[in-house]
Amino acid sequence: MTVTWIVVPGLAETPEEFSRLVELLPDEDVRVIDPWRTPIKSDVDALRAAAGVRPDAEIGLIGHSIGGLAALRWALTRPHEVTRLVLVDSSLTSETGWRAFYPGKRGDRVVRAVARFLGRVGVPQLLGPSVRRLIVRLGSTSNHDLLSKATAKARYGGDRSWLLFWDELAGSWELAAEVAKLVAGPVGAIAPTSLLVATGGTSRFTANSWLAGQQRLADSLGGTVEVLPDSAHLVHLDRPDAIATAVRR
């Protein structure tokens, strides 16, 4: 049976920026979840529905950044569904944030109020595309953004865009805590897992501790680690070929 590969993007990412990866896998069924429509923190059923896969589909998951946590939760809680798992510079289960800013807490309410105010007065529309350019500049070594100016403006300049970013970030802390419990004890059945770890560009400043954390995660999953010294965090922009190779392997 053909594997349906589902890409679970990270914070503030878009399906368009994974287009090079899709092009490198012409013989694979690759579907990219749109986190602007279906939050990455959503439960597995919602993510599955967003990908539009058949009930009997054989699934491979590619999770980047906080999408790696979502993909890992899927693979651990539904091992009968997932036959391959590729974690691309995945967030770690230790990244549980600050409890004062968890959803519903006072800090969270303050941030939401500020984000809504900024949206009403048009700050995202004014600065959104610049924020996108800064993310790409800091997060990749190639500094080549696959989003058109119109798409970047539509995605990052909406009056609720920054509120969505906060929702995903705060939700990822709870997701990290949930996955941490799943990997705390002996991990049962899980699909063969590959971890791609970026240590280039701005990632080089925390490369040692980051790689150590990724190796611990790989050990708990019985997975393999591939280090990408020529890529920063946005691996799908810098080294989509490495992700494609991991899929084929």
Side-chain angles (χ1 to χ4, degrees):
M1 183 181 292
T2 302
V3 176
T4 299
W5 284 94
I6 301 173
V7 178
V8 189
L11 176 67
E13 293 174 353
T14 68
E16 293 90 343
E17 60 194 275
F18 289 87
S19 59
R20 288 172 61 196
L21 172 62
V22 175
E23 291 170 0
L24 290 171
L25 295 169
D27 299 324
E28 302 287 348
D29 181 5
V30 182
R31 308 182 185 191
V32 186
I33 292 176
D34 187 345
W36 297 73
R37 296 180 179 273
T38 305
I40 298 307
K41 62 183 181 180
S42 300
D43 62 33
V44 172
D45 288 330
L47 295 177
R48 187 185 177 101
V53 294
R54 301 188 318 273
D56 61 342
E58 184 176 338
I59 294 173
L61 294 176
I62 303 168
H64 176 249
S65 194
I66 66 172
L69 291 173
L72 184 52
R73 177 182 61 179
W74 190 337
L76 289 168
T77 58
R78 306 276 185 91
H80 60 287
E81 292 184 1
V82 181
T83 60
R84 294 281 305 283
L85 178 62
V86 179
L87 301 178
V88 183
D89 221 38
S90 173
S91 297
L92 296 172
T93 57
S94 58
E95 296 180 70
T96 54
W98 302 280
R99 293 200 171 275
F101 290 88
Y102 270 38
K105 299 290 187 180
R106 178 177 297 179
D108 172 64
R109 294 195 298 270
V110 170
V111 172
R112 287 176 181 278
V114 171
R116 282 192 291 266
F117 171 76
L118 294 177
R120 285 196 301 271
V121 299
V123 172
Q125 184 177 10
L126 179 65
L127 298 181
S130 297
V131 170
R132 170 66 190 183
R133 288 194 295 272
L134 181 62
I135 289 172
V136 173
R137 182 180 296 274
L138 295 178
S140 77
T141 57
S142 62
N143 193 24
H144 177 56
D145 194 355
L146 297 180
L147 298 190
S148 66
K149 291 182 179 179
T151 300
K153 183 176 181 179
R155 295 279 190 171
Y156 286 76
D159 58 359
R160 293 183 59 83
S161 294
W162 292 8
L163 185 60
L164 182 146
F165 300 159
W166 174 254
D167 277 340
E168 289 287 81
L169 178 60
S172 75
W173 298 336
E174 293 184 318
L175 181 58
E178 180 182 350
V179 177
K181 293 178 181 178
L182 294 174
V183 300
V187 174
I190 188 171
T193 303
S194 301
L195 289 83
L196 305 183
V197 184
T199 59
T202 54
S203 296
R204 70 186 184 277
F205 298 115
T206 57
N208 290 337
S209 59
W210 182 245
L211 181 56
Q214 295 286 337
Q215 186 62 65
R216 287 192 295 270
L217 178 59
D219 292 343
S220 69
L221 302 174
T224 60
V225 170
E226 179 181 353
V227 180
L228 304 176
D230 53 350
S231 176
H233 182 58
L234 300 179
V235 180
H236 51 286
L237 298 184
D238 291 339
R239 291 292 312 277
D241 60 302
I243 305 175
T245 298
V247 167
R248 297 192 192 97
R249 186 169 56 235

